[in-house]
Amino acid sequence: MENKKHFVGLTDEQVQESRKKYGNNLLTPPERDPLWKLFLEKFEDPIIRILLIAAFLSLIISVVHNDYAETIGIFCAIFLATGVAFWFEMDANKKFDILNKVNDQELIKVIRNGKIGEVAKTDVVVGDIILLETGEEVPADGELLEAVSLQIDESTLTGEPLIDKTTNPAHFHSDSTYPSNWVMRGTKVIDGHATVEVKKVGDATEFGQVAKKATEMTKEDTPLNKQLDRLAKLIGVVGFILAVLTFSVLFAKDMFFGATEVPLVQLGSAGIVIIAIMVVLVKVWLPIVYDGIQLMGYDKEVPDSVENGSWFRWLSYGVVTFAVLLGVGFAAGLDITSAESWASIDLAKIILQHFMVAVTLIVVAVPEGLPMSVTLSLAMSMRRMLKTNNLVRKMHATETMGATTVICTDKTGTLTQNQMTIYQTDFFGLKDQQPRENSDAANLIKESISANTTAHLDHSNPVKSKSLGNPTEAALLFWLHKNDIDYLELREKAEVIEQLTFSTERKYMATLVESPTLGKKVLYVKGAPEIVMSKCKDVASDATPRLIKEVKSDVDNKLTEYQGKAMRTLGFAYKIIEDETPASIKDLADFDLTFLGIVAISDPVREEVPSAVKDCHDAGIDVKIVTGDTPGTAKEIGKQIGVWKDEDSDLQIITGVEFAALSDEEALKRVQGLKIMCRARPSDKQRLVQLLQQTGSVVAVTGDGTNDAPALNYAHVGLSMGSGTSVAKEASDITLLDDSFNSIATAVMWGRSLYQNIQRFILFQLTINVAALSIVFLGSLMGFELPLTVTQMLWVNLIMDTFAAAALASLPPDHNVMKSKPRHPNDFIITPVMSKNILFVGFSFVVLLVGMLFYFTKTDGEISAYHLSVFFTVFVMLQFWNLFNAKAYATGKSAFHELDKGVGFIIVGILIVVGQFMIVEFGGEVFRTVPISLKDWGIIIAATSPVLWIGEISRALKK
């Protein structure tokens, strides 16, 4: 304890100067994107982008044919998907803002102009002398000038709930994360009081620096976005190849084998125009060519002149190309002034018609329902996960949890209960260690715990009591409370005469009371067991009195056992004081005490954590503990939850200082094998996350403190605690409202199930697209028009797909997904099994549908309206039955398994059949349908149902 000094503090002028030089004690709030920008971000989805291209191409066709239904439908699909995504994220952010309110206007005691006063936290400046007392939060970083029995809760910065602070260099801790004579913003005074000179304020504080890193932009793309980007490229390439092939075949067919002979000179001039147009549109088609090259495994980047070149530049190139080719043609004898040298209006119409067919193929190739499916799946999962205590702020985080391969978890509050609890008591003379008994020893122990403390319990919340003050002392009060003993009543009866608070120098606390238990003055002492025992002469016992040296060996063995389990231990003693004794309380506590016993105290592991960690291990997810705690404590917790095994070596545990000393190359070799990082600082945790990402891992990080915020921000998924700091929650993607690791395992299950649901929809959607694309392609080559009208395709491609998206998105999560290993981040979302299924089923439908077209076609080449209605209904019913096959994908079970739990799926199935019936029966000219007889309805339903039955037989044979 230091000598008292007189502090004057800053003058008003010095306060102003300091504020000008170092700024206010304000943290720069994280920039929030305006709502319009958040909405535009939804258009960055790769599938939405390709859908926009299809929409504008469709618009060109609509202008030519003066029919805008398809274009309006595609734009509706775009705005529906982006609108739903925007709404759900905005709604989640509103909930988050309510959860995350911060108060920066609390009053702080400062010395200014030689007087003590109070100023708002934001008005504290560098150089201020501030006074801190038990229970107060430190408003800024500063150096201790005086410290009396000072203990700080640094869990927001290091994860350590209790750190001793002092100004005495002899008691500095060399292995502490931060200096022993410094206190930092955001930490809390647990015990004692202090005088501090402020050294850093606002963003310059450690808290501010960590908060800044928590809001830095990160470039990590989500696994789902990577897969959707690859899928968009594949769809674009397939559509482009088919479009080019169709245009080329139709162009060659009409130019060389058509009824009208086209002069060679006109073909040449048409070629010049087409080449010039291709140059102008190079920014459209060349990236698709490069996408195809990348899909084949070659890492080729689009030339910068194409990627970043302006449209005006390529328009100029097109004009120049046209002029050069025209010059070459002129030199070769082309008369550019003659009308006969150019394509006729009829020829131009034929070329334009073929171009429209090619564009139609691209439009048909794009799955309009896919963005809606992904959005609905993510949005519905967000809502459902809220019921399992996961508040999802960023939509894609839901799915990314399913791809997680590594979880870096904080210890305090996530793996443990963040409440110190009595693990074991070893009191002499206390039978069965039950404090309820009415013996002298029991009464002394109860009175000692109740009176010799500065802690309190807050029972205002009927669900969970809270400790106020030193958490170790509160654990003793909780022990009494658990045994139905009112510590407050005992404390009030025992009048405190004098008290010596705990200090790091003495390592014990002493309280002199008028004891109603003994009717005398009693001195109660508690502290480090070895210190307390050294002051004792004998042991409290209801039997024959024993000397302390008789039990010391047994007590030491128990202490070694408890400390080996990284537990805190306390020793208790007392002394009866005669009235005439004149000595000070410190002198009285130095000798002739009677030893009561010891207790072991720990922050117990949450009950559900070991099983949740096992679930993660079974699911192929590596769990790493990253904590500010000591190596011993971290190892013990690791053992209890199943992360640390007896056979593990020192290579699998590292301190933050040791990790920082490693080069990136050395650290990269160590990170995957690491199981525990202890004494970790914010920068260490962030570096660990980034190095793990370099190895190809998908990293989720949990944390509740400001120290966790940078890592939460840089992780693929950041999971903050509902009780955590505002900085941690701001940096995270998901907030665990119950602070439990078990909720993380639940989030992984949801994420994997969600990914399966998206795969199911892709399987269903692309089967439709393969069938529709093939019919358009073959139909154009064979000479008959598309047998489905624009409005019919709108029903199939938009409404029915949206229904299917809702049906598959509403499927409940499958617990079996936790039995498989995480998918590789680079694995394509369309698996080889899915590819075979899509192609086989899609082409089977094509064969059946093309056969029907030939069967229904009359001798004059026409198909009746009735047969076209039958064709339309068969097309829809084939997809209806295939929806059941999509539901059963990857489950290995029948499509009817747990059908009763998929209420949404059943409702959507009914809506599709009812909707199709209503369209056919009452659609009339709008849908180009006529009513079908009930007999034919029955035949169509029965004839198309083998799609499901064949799937059921196939699944049964694979079991």
Side-chain angles (χ1 to χ4, degrees):
M1 189 152 110
E2 297 74 10
N3 295 325
K4 276 293 203 183
K5 301 170 187 172
H6 178 68
F7 300 105
V8 177
L10 301 176
T11 65
D12 291 339
E13 291 77 16
Q14 288 173 323
V15 169
Q16 295 301 324
E17 288 173 13
S18 178
R19 189 169 285 131
K20 284 180 182 177
K21 187 174 182 180
Y22 299 105
N24 286 323
N25 190 29
L26 277 171
L27 295 179
T28 304
E31 285 189 25
R32 286 289 185 91
D33 289 330
L35 292 178
W36 65 266
K37 195 170 183 180
L38 284 175
F39 180 66
L40 289 181
E41 279 179 6
K42 304 304 157 213
F43 289 87
E44 292 177 8
D45 185 296
I47 297 293
I48 291 289
R49 284 177 173 179
I50 197 170
L51 202 54
L52 278 169
I53 294 170
F56 285 111
L57 290 175
S58 175
L59 184 61
I60 295 169
I61 299 173
S62 299
V63 170
V64 173
H65 293 292
N66 196 29
D67 187 348
Y68 296 90
E70 176 77 13
T71 305
I72 292 169
I74 296 174
F75 275 110
C76 283
I78 292 168
F79 287 113
L80 203 57
T82 53
V84 168
F86 170 70
W87 171 261
F88 275 98
E89 280 197 11
M90 190 176 69
D91 186 50
N93 278 328
K94 282 180 183 176
K95 290 186 175 73
F96 176 79
D97 288 338
I98 293 169
L99 184 74
N100 208 25
K101 286 183 178 175
V102 184
N103 179 22
D104 269 336
Q105 295 304 313
E106 58 186 289
L107 296 176
I108 307 297
K109 289 186 284 294
V110 300
I111 300 174
R112 287 181 181 173
N113 303 305
K115 297 177 182 178
I116 297 177
E118 289 185 319
V119 299
K121 181 178 177 179
T122 53
D123 291 334
V124 172
V125 298
V126 172
D128 262 332
I129 307 297
I130 59 175
L131 305 176
L132 296 174
E133 295 181 5
T134 302
E136 294 180 343
E137 188 177 285
V138 181
D141 290 5
E143 184 178 2
L144 291 173
L145 302 176
E146 287 183 344
V148 178
S149 306
L150 187 63
Q151 292 182 310
I152 297 285
D153 177 0
E154 281 190 356
S155 59
T156 58
L157 279 173
T158 66
E160 281 278 16
L162 197 66
I163 298 289
D164 294 321
K165 294 289 183 178
T166 180
T167 57
N168 188 343
H171 295 98
F172 285 2
H173 296 285
S174 58
D175 66 338
S176 291
T177 311
Y178 296 107
S180 295
N181 64 333
W182 271 72
V183 291
M184 273 133 330
R185 178 185 176 123
T187 60
K188 194 173 183 181
V189 180
I190 293 296
D191 198 10
H193 54 88
T195 305
V196 179
E197 181 182 353
V198 175
K199 297 292 187 182
K200 294 178 180 179
V201 294
D203 290 338
T205 62
E206 184 71 12
F207 192 99
Q209 289 298 302
V210 173
K212 186 179 177 182
K213 287 183 180 178
T215 57
E216 289 174 357
M217 292 298 292
T218 60
K219 298 296 182 185
E220 277 296 324
D221 227 351
T222 68
L224 181 61
N225 263 350
K226 290 176 182 175
Q227 295 307 315
L228 291 179
D229 185 46
R230 192 173 168 192
L231 179 59
K233 288 177 180 178
L234 177 64
I235 291 167
V237 168
V238 170
F240 180 71
I241 290 172
L242 277 177
V244 170
L245 188 62
T246 303
F247 181 80
S248 302
V249 170
L250 291 176
F251 183 80
K253 180 182 169 185
D254 275 338
M255 294 304 105
F256 302 111
F257 307 104
T260 307
E261 187 176 339
V262 181
L264 193 60
V265 67
Q266 289 188 8
L267 283 176
S269 61
I272 290 172
V273 172
I274 291 170
I275 291 170
I277 291 172
M278 285 182 66
V279 171
V280 172
L281 297 178
V282 76
K283 282 176 68 69
V284 173
W285 61 266
L286 193 61
I288 297 175
V289 173
Y290 274 83
D291 286 344
I293 294 170
Q294 288 171 5
L295 288 171
M296 289 189 289
Y298 299 99
D299 190 17
K300 295 286 185 181
E301 294 295 327
V302 179
D304 188 65
S305 59
V306 176
E307 185 80 24
N308 300 312
S310 68
W311 281 99
F312 181 75
R313 175 200 277 189
W314 285 100
L315 178 62
S316 304
Y317 288 166
V319 172
V320 170
T321 303
F322 180 75
V324 169
L325 291 176
L326 212 56
V328 172
F330 182 74
L334 177 68
D335 183 4
I336 59 175
T337 60
S338 172
E340 293 180 358
S341 299
W342 299 96
S344 63
I345 297 296
D346 291 336
L347 179 59
K349 281 184 178 179
I350 291 170
I351 294 172
L352 183 61
Q353 187 179 353
H354 296 337
F355 177 74
M356 292 306 167
V357 172
V359 170
T360 302
L361 278 169
I362 295 175
V363 173
V364 171
V366 178
E368 292 96 326
L370 184 56
M372 191 64 195
S373 168
V374 173
T375 302
L376 269 178
S377 297
L378 291 169
M380 292 176 79
S381 294
M382 278 177 75
R383 286 296 171 93
R384 288 177 178 178
M385 286 175 72
L386 187 58
K387 294 177 183 176
T388 60
N389 296 304
N390 287 272
L391 172 58
V392 182
R393 293 183 61 217
K394 296 173 185 175
M395 205 174 265
H396 278 276
T398 313
E399 184 281 327
T400 308
M401 276 306 298
T404 297
T405 57
V406 178
I407 297 173
C408 295
T409 177
D410 189 26
K411 176 186 75 71
T412 308
T414 309
L415 302 177
T416 65
Q417 295 175 16
N418 196 20
Q419 184 166 291
M420 301 305 287
T421 306
I422 300 296
Y423 173 76
Q424 182 69 50
T425 61
D426 291 291
F427 287 116
F428 295 95
L430 190 62
K431 292 177 183 177
D432 301 323
Q433 298 302 306
Q434 289 296 322
R436 291 193 189 93
E437 63 180 80
N438 196 28
S439 64
D440 288 344
N443 291 333
L444 280 167
I445 290 163
K446 287 183 281 189
E447 190 172 84
S448 170
I449 290 172
S450 300
N452 188 26
T453 182
T454 57
H456 288 272
L457 298 182
D458 178 6
H459 299 301
S460 58
N461 184 343
V463 179
K464 186 179 180 182
S465 297
K466 188 171 67 174
S467 63
L468 302 174
N470 187 303
T472 306
E473 290 190 340
L476 298 166
L477 301 182
F478 273 118
W479 180 63
L480 293 181
H481 180 68
K482 185 179 176 183
N483 285 283
D484 300 320
I485 297 165
D486 187 349
Y487 80 92
L488 205 54
E489 183 183 345
L490 291 172
R491 182 182 296 181
E492 288 168 351
K493 286 180 179 178
E495 183 186 342
V496 176
I497 300 168
E498 192 177 351
Q499 191 170 72
L500 189 66
T501 58
F502 181 89
S503 76
T504 52
E505 293 87 353
R506 285 189 303 273
K507 296 189 183 299
Y508 71 86
M509 175 183 182
T511 303
L512 181 62
V513 302
E514 283 284 358
S515 171
T517 302
L518 299 180
K520 299 177 182 179
K521 289 181 182 176
V522 178
L523 176 69
Y524 291 114
V525 178
K526 78 164 182 285
E530 62 275 13
I531 300 295
V532 174
M533 276 197 295
S534 69
K535 300 175 185 296
C536 295
K537 64 173 182 178
D538 56 13
V539 177
S541 175
D542 288 341
T544 307
R546 288 185 288 172
L547 296 176
I548 190 71
K549 63 183 180 182
E550 294 177 33
V551 300
K552 188 174 185 306
S553 177
D554 289 339
V555 173
D556 284 344
N557 287 338
K558 284 185 178 293
L559 288 173
T560 302
E561 178 191 341
Y562 295 143
Q563 288 161 1
K565 293 179 179 178
M567 294 181 184
R568 293 178 184 175
T569 53
L570 285 176
F572 296 79
Y574 77 100
K575 183 178 184 178
I576 297 175
I577 307 298
E578 301 301 331
D579 286 340
E580 63 274 9
T581 306
S584 69
I585 188 171
K586 188 174 185 299
D587 292 336
L588 290 172
D590 266 348
F591 61 95
D592 287 348
L593 301 181
T594 299
F595 194 59
L596 286 167
I598 61 171
V599 298
I601 301 171
S602 68
D603 181 7
V605 166
R606 287 173 175 266
E607 287 182 15
E608 71 277 6
V609 167
S611 61
V613 169
K614 184 179 183 300
D615 286 345
C616 288
H617 284 161
D618 290 345
I621 300 169
D622 190 17
V623 179
K624 300 180 189 295
I625 299 173
V626 186
T627 176
D629 226 326
T630 63
T633 303
K635 266 188 187 180
E636 180 57 30
I637 295 298
K639 285 179 184 176
Q640 290 181 34
I641 66 171
V643 168
W644 187 265
K645 309 292 183 186
D646 291 334
E647 61 269 20
D648 289 330
S649 69
D650 289 342
L651 285 173
Q652 289 164 299
I653 183 170
I654 197 169
T655 65
V657 174
E658 291 168 345
F659 188 66
L662 296 176
S663 67
D664 281 348
E665 291 76 18
E666 292 170 321
L668 201 59
K669 293 175 184 175
R670 289 280 302 273
V671 288
Q672 285 193 306
L674 277 179
K675 289 192 171 184
I676 296 173
M677 181 185 284
C678 46
R679 292 297 188 199
R681 296 161 298 185
S683 56
D684 302 323
K685 196 168 185 178
Q686 179 186 329
R687 185 182 180 217
L688 174 66
V689 169
Q690 290 175 307
L691 288 171
L692 282 168
Q693 288 172 339
Q694 286 180 35
T695 66
S697 299
V698 178
V699 186
V701 170
T702 76
D704 60 349
T706 301
N707 60 313
D708 301 313
L712 288 169
N713 181 44
Y714 276 86
H716 289 102
V717 183
L719 301 124
S720 63
M721 305 296 123
S723 61
T725 66
S726 58
V727 175
K729 285 184 278 190
E730 189 70 49
S732 66
D733 305 297
I734 298 174
T735 298
L736 306 178
L737 300 179
D738 63 350
D739 294 5
S740 174
F741 189 89
N742 191 52
S743 295
I744 300 170
T746 304
V748 172
M749 181 192 71
W750 272 101
R752 291 189 177 186
S753 297
L754 169 66
Y755 188 77
Q756 272 195 356
N757 285 348
I758 293 171
Q759 282 186 314
R760 288 174 181 134
F761 182 78
I762 289 172
L763 181 71
F764 172 77
Q765 170 81 73
L766 292 189
T767 302
I768 295 176
N769 283 53
V770 164
L773 196 64
S774 301
I775 289 171
V776 173
F777 177 67
L778 294 173
S780 61
L781 295 183
M782 293 176 182
F784 54 77
E785 291 187 9
L786 183 65
L788 300 177
T789 66
V790 170
T791 49
Q792 288 174 350
M793 285 300 291
L794 191 62
W795 162 248
V796 172
N797 279 350
L798 175 63
I799 303 169
M800 185 174 163
D801 292 350
T802 304
F803 282 169
L808 296 171
S810 68
L811 294 175
D814 182 4
H815 292 269
N816 290 322
V817 295
M818 295 299 283
K819 295 177 182 177
S820 56
K821 302 301 178 189
R823 71 177 191 275
H824 193 280
N826 294 327
D827 284 351
F828 192 26
I829 196 167
I830 301 177
T831 64
V833 173
M834 287 175 66
S835 300
K836 291 174 185 175
N837 190 302
I838 289 166
L839 294 174
F840 175 76
V841 176
F843 286 129
S844 298
F845 289 173
V846 170
V847 170
L848 174 64
L849 293 167
V850 171
M852 286 180 66
L853 286 176
F854 279 113
Y855 180 76
F856 288 148
T857 303
K858 298 175 185 176
T859 52
D860 59 358
E862 295 294 321
I863 302 176
S864 69
Y866 187 88
H867 285 143
L868 283 173
S869 299
V870 169
F871 179 88
F872 173 41
T873 305
V874 168
F875 187 88
V876 170
M877 292 308 299
L878 288 172
Q879 314 310 329
F880 169 76
W881 292 116
N882 199 40
L883 182 62
F884 286 85
N885 288 332
K887 173 188 177 292
Y889 169 73
T891 63
K893 297 172 183 174
S894 167
F896 299 101
H897 178 71
E898 294 187 343
L899 190 62
D900 56 320
K901 293 182 181 178
V903 178
F905 185 89
I906 295 170
I907 291 171
V908 167
I910 294 169
L911 282 174
I912 289 173
V913 176
V914 171
Q916 181 63 21
F917 180 82
M918 298 296 286
I919 285 171
V920 171
E921 298 301 311
F922 307 105
E925 291 183 9
V926 175
F927 282 91
R928 198 195 63 186
T929 56
V930 295
I932 298 175
S933 68
L934 289 177
K935 177 186 173 184
D936 283 347
W937 268 108
I939 292 171
I940 290 169
I941 292 171
T944 53
S945 65
V947 172
L948 171 60
W949 308 130
I950 292 170
E952 286 290 281
I953 293 167
S954 173
R955 284 184 286 275
L957 292 174
K958 288 178 182 177
K959 281 186 180 180

